[in-house]
Amino acid sequence: MKKSTFVAMILGTIGGILFSLGMCMGLVEEWNARNEGIIMGVIGLIVLFIMVAVWRKMENKEPIKLSGKTIGATLIGIVGALLLGVGMCLTMVWSNMVVGIIVGIVGIVVLLCLIPFIKGLK
């Protein structure tokens, strides 16, 4: 395993755990830790952004340049992930099986559209 991959794995794990725990603290009302959860979630996001920068530096890659395609791909990914999550919630939390499966499949299709959007068709 390359050192850059190992560092990215460790920082990604730490950032992901901090972010997800922060979101749970902020959103689960029984925990009564909304402010602390927001702080922990932001710290997790910062660690994840640092991970991306460190990994790109260790791999001698150029910094990410914001372009219309980058912003579009990010928005498509966000919409697809949200649709997939809403479909899962409809199915598992609100017991609305048919609509949840349909919304989840639409989310998967949107996420699959990222591949030709980013890589292109040949």
Side-chain angles (χ1 to χ4, degrees), residues 18 22-23 25 33-46:
L18 288 174
M23 291 300 99
M25 289 170 66
R34 178 176 297 265
N35 294 335
E36 295 87 351
I38 292 171
I39 292 169
M40 187 172 292
V42 169
I43 291 171
L45 279 176
I46 292 170

Side-chain angles (χ1 to χ4, degrees), residues 7-103:
V7 170
M9 181 181 67
I10 296 299
L11 287 175
T13 302
I14 292 170
I17 289 172
L18 288 174
F19 179 73
S20 61
L21 185 58
M23 291 300 99
C24 288
M25 289 170 66
L27 295 173
V28 177
E29 292 181 15
E30 290 84 12
W31 290 10
N32 205 14
R34 178 176 297 265
N35 294 335
E36 295 87 351
I38 292 171
I39 292 169
M40 187 172 292
V42 169
I43 291 171
L45 279 176
I46 292 170
V47 170
L48 290 172
F49 283 126
I50 290 171
M51 181 263 315
V52 171
V54 167
W55 180 80
R56 291 189 71 82
K57 181 80 171 172
M58 291 178 82
E59 291 287 321
N60 295 322
K61 295 187 177 207
E62 294 180 22
I64 298 173
K65 293 182 177 133
L66 288 181
S67 66
K69 186 175 181 180
T70 303
I71 294 171
T74 303
L75 291 176
I76 291 172
I78 290 170
V79 168
L82 285 173
L83 284 172
L84 182 58
V86 167
M88 290 174 63
C89 286
L90 282 167
T91 302
M92 296 189 298
V93 176
W94 296 310
S95 300
N96 200 344
M97 186 71 72
V98 175
V99 176
I101 290 173
I102 293 170
V103 171

